[in-house]
């Protein structure tokens, strides 16, 4: 065992209602948290991110690499706020961005040669990503701004 090995990057997918958190190289998120990020202040988002690192992932954020899985329709203001908190307040080493559907493709197709559609029905949007021979075709991804929020609204009436 190499004690000087670099720790695995932290994967964060900060959705409208749920946050998926874990480490690079794992097949599934460590935890899926119910966190409505749309109505949170900067301080609340910072506290939530600190809690994810310390209580959920059991690691300190300082010096870690973070991969932020982002929705293609994510508002720029929210993304900039999260990056600012990660770099300035939590002092992570770096932040990289990938489309939110890419990590699941690599987890599912890592040892296989699969083709098909990856469909993600989120709270506020639905994304469809074609995959050919285990390669995500990001240029062909389609996003519709309808998600499970509509189901919740229908059930509430």
């Amino acid at each position: 065992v190499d004690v000087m090995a670099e720790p695995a990057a932290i994967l964060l997918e900060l959705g409208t209602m749920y946050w998926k958190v874990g480490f690079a190289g794992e097949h599934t998120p460590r935890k899926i948290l119910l966190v409505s990020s749309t109505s949170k202040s900067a301080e609340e988002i910072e506290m939530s991110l600190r809690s994810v690192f310390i209580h959920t992932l059991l690691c300190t954020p300082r010096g870690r690499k973070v991969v932020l899985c982002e929705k293609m329709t994510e508002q720029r203001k929210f993304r900039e706020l999260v990056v600012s908190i990660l770099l300035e307040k939590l002092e992570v080493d770096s932040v990289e961005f990938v489309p939110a559907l890419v990590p699941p493709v690599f987890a599912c197709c890592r040892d296989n040669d699969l083709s098909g559609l990856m469909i993600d029905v989120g709270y506020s949007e639905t994304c469809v990503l074609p995959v050919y021979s285990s390669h995500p075709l990001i240029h062909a991804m389609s996003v519709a701004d309808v998600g499970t929020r509509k189901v919740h609204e229908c059930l509430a009436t």
Side-chain angles (χ1 to χ4, degrees):
V1 175
D2 183 6
V3 291
M4 298 302 288
E6 187 173 327
I10 304 295
L11 285 173
L12 300 175
E13 182 181 340
L14 308 180
T16 307
M17 284 298 285
Y18 297 97
W19 287 10
K20 298 175 192 168
V21 300
F23 293 95
E26 296 181 338
H27 286 12
T28 60
R30 280 279 170 110
K31 188 94 172 180
I32 299 175
L33 306 164
L34 176 62
V35 180
S36 178
S37 47
T38 54
S39 61
K40 287 185 169 266
S41 68
E43 292 79 21
E44 290 171 318
I45 292 172
E46 179 183 347
M47 286 180 9
S48 296
L49 286 168
R50 273 189 202 282
S51 178
V52 161
F53 277 95
I54 294 168
H55 300 296
T56 305
L57 299 176
L58 304 174
C59 67
T60 58
R62 178 177 285 148
R64 298 301 292 243
K65 292 184 178 177
V66 174
V67 177
L68 195 56
C69 306
E70 63 174 345
K71 300 184 299 185
M72 301 309 273
T73 59
E74 188 70 68
Q75 292 189 5
R76 183 177 181 176
K77 183 178 177 182
F78 178 73
R79 180 176 49 234
E80 289 174 350
L81 173 64
V82 169
V83 170
S84 171
I85 291 169
L86 287 169
L87 292 172
E88 296 169 15
K89 305 282 187 178
L90 301 182
E91 299 178 18
V92 301
D93 191 41
S94 64
V95 179
E96 295 183 38
F97 297 93
V98 297
L101 281 180
V102 171
V105 169
F106 291 133
C108 293
C109 301
R110 186 167 72 185
D111 300 324
N112 303 307
D113 187 25
L114 299 176
S115 297
L117 293 175
M118 182 73 78
I119 301 171
D120 177 25
V121 181
Y123 187 72
S124 60
E125 69 181 19
T126 299
C127 299
V128 179
L129 175 68
V131 177
Y132 179 73
S133 293
S134 300
H135 291 54
L137 305 177
I138 295 172
H139 67 279
M141 184 164 61
S142 180
V143 179
D145 56 341
V146 63
T148 58
R149 174 184 298 154
K150 296 292 184 190
V151 174
H152 289 212
E153 290 171 357
C154 288
L155 291 174
T157 58

